[in-house]
Amino acid sequence: MEKLFLVGKEAQKIRQAHLDDHSNHSHLPNVSFISSNSGRYQDLDEDNRGTLRVDVVNPYPASSLERVEGDLNQAPPTFTVDQAVDQIGFGKFQLKLSCLAGFAWMADAMEMMILSILSPALKCEWDLNGWQQALVTTVVFCGMMMSSAIWGKISDRHGRRVELLLCSFITFYYGLISAGAPNLWWLLFLRCFVGIGIGGSPQSVTLYSEFLPSKQRAKCLVLTEVFWALGSCFEVLLALFVMPTLGWRWLLGLSSLPLLVFDIACLWMPESARFFMASGQTRRAYDVLERIAKENGTTMPPG
């Protein structure tokens, strides 16, 4: 048996030379490299004659591998947005954000609850038919249906905060001017735009969830439904006092004001750190997380 002990590229050269000369040198053994558990390569023909065995030795000394491994261990630590939010924990910032997101949910609930109060009043004042009365509610849901996908794209491209500011202002503006609608068709047109604005309101919950630690996330998101119930109850109470004296136009105008308050309060609210990371703005994401840590009186993870 012929044995050759070669290192690294030399083993590759002997194999390539064998392949190149095989057609002209039939006396060379038929080589097919087989990997063994020992890290060596050997060739065995069928009858075990003319065997060529190539032992490949690791050309890298152990000290070099240890040095590379040490360099990897000395790399600076890193962390994800979720890890940072979990370490920062639930504090003052999350409490303020809970109230703000809940207030937006209340305002949208008021705009939805007003539909059940508005239709009977319009039927008496404008002598509406059944289908006309139904349109007052239907156009709002049509606006929500048409705008939901668009708001999602705006949120992913320009940020959750920008989307919330825009959809809240649209809901406020068209809700306010719908109070001055001269007839049914103008009212339907303006209330459709109110529905378009409401279609983007769920992003308040998205933004809220991205600042919540994983241990409190599920509990806090479920509790936002409390604000929806409060908004609905508040709208009914407001209607009890406003409708008998001032009428439905005042009710529409007053019901839109909470969204204006929310828009002003959004100037305090930061953009989502997760959105900044997804859009490649690492520095801005870090600044947002650092701001939350300072407000909560905690520290950022090392990295």
Side-chain angles (χ1 to χ4, degrees):
M1 179 185 294
E2 179 186 3
K3 293 186 178 181
L4 296 177
F5 295 91
L6 303 175
V7 177
K9 294 183 179 179
E10 296 182 11
Q12 297 178 6
K13 289 180 180 179
I14 193 68
R15 183 175 184 274
Q16 187 62 41
H18 168 77
L19 294 175
D20 293 341
D21 298 339
H22 179 67
S23 59
N24 299 326
H25 299 83
S26 60
H27 62 279
L28 290 176
N30 186 15
V31 179
S32 59
F33 284 74
I34 304 174
S35 175
S36 63
N37 293 332
S38 62
R40 302 185 177 191
Y41 296 88
Q42 61 182 3
D43 163 71
L44 297 175
D45 55 7
E46 294 181 357
D47 55 1
N48 202 22
R49 293 178 301 173
T51 301
L52 176 63
R53 176 170 176 165
V54 180
D55 292 346
V56 181
V57 181
N58 185 3
Y60 301 103
S63 59
S64 299
L65 295 177
E66 292 174 358
R67 185 166 59 251
V68 172
E69 185 177 356
D71 292 341
L72 293 175
N73 292 333
Q74 294 174 3
T78 59
F79 59 86
T80 64
V81 173
D82 283 340
Q83 289 171 341
V85 171
D86 285 342
Q87 176 159 328
I88 292 170
F90 193 95
K92 293 180 180 179
F93 176 83
Q94 280 78 12
L95 287 174
K96 294 178 182 178
L97 190 61
S98 298
C99 295
L100 189 58
F103 192 77
W105 216 230
M106 278 183 61
D108 290 322
M110 291 174 64
E111 288 293 340
M112 296 299 296
M113 191 64 190
I114 202 174
L115 298 175
S116 61
I117 303 170
L118 184 62
S119 296
L122 294 177
K123 181 180 181 180
C124 296
E125 183 168 335
W126 288 343
D127 193 23
L128 301 181
N129 296 324
W131 65 270
Q132 292 174 324
Q133 188 177 356
L135 280 178
V136 176
T137 302
T138 303
V139 292
V140 176
F141 289 102
C142 288
M144 293 172 63
M145 179 181 64
M146 292 186 297
S147 66
S148 296
I150 299 174
W151 287 125
K153 291 182 179 180
I154 293 174
S155 179
D156 289 337
R157 180 170 297 182
H158 302 288
R160 287 81 161 108
R161 181 173 177 268
V162 172
E163 189 269 353
L164 275 176
L165 285 168
L166 186 58
C167 73
S168 298
F169 182 78
I170 288 176
T171 307
F172 157 72
Y173 178 75
Y174 285 100
L176 181 65
I177 64 175
S178 65
N183 53 52
L184 174 65
W185 304 111
W186 267 107
L187 181 68
L188 294 178
F189 175 76
L190 296 173
R191 297 306 292 180
C192 181
F193 276 92
V194 171
I196 289 174
I198 295 175
S201 62
Q203 285 299 330
S204 61
V205 180
T206 302
L207 179 63
Y208 178 48
S209 67
E210 292 178 351
F211 285 117
L212 290 173
S214 56
K215 290 183 178 180
Q216 286 84 21
R217 188 172 300 152
K219 175 175 60 179
C220 291
L221 290 179
V222 172
L223 287 176
T224 56
E225 295 298 325
V226 173
F227 290 96
W228 184 274
L230 289 175
S232 300
C233 293
F234 181 77
E235 181 65 27
V236 173
L237 292 174
L238 184 64
L240 287 175
F241 290 99
V242 174
M243 287 291 289
T245 55
L246 301 175
W248 62 269
R249 296 183 186 274
W250 275 91
L251 182 63
L252 285 180
L254 292 174
S255 298
S256 66
L257 292 179
L259 286 166
L260 177 62
V261 177
F262 173 75
D263 260 5
I264 296 173
C266 275
L267 299 176
W268 162 85
M269 183 173 58
E271 181 55 85
S272 167
R274 185 186 294 274
F275 166 75
F276 281 142
M277 286 299 299
S279 57
Q281 303 178 65
T282 307
R283 181 70 255 179
R284 298 184 71 178
Y286 186 88
D287 291 341
V288 169
L289 294 172
E290 193 173 35
R291 169 188 167 182
I292 300 172
K294 289 180 179 178
E295 193 162 346
N296 285 359
T298 57
T299 58
M300 293 275 288

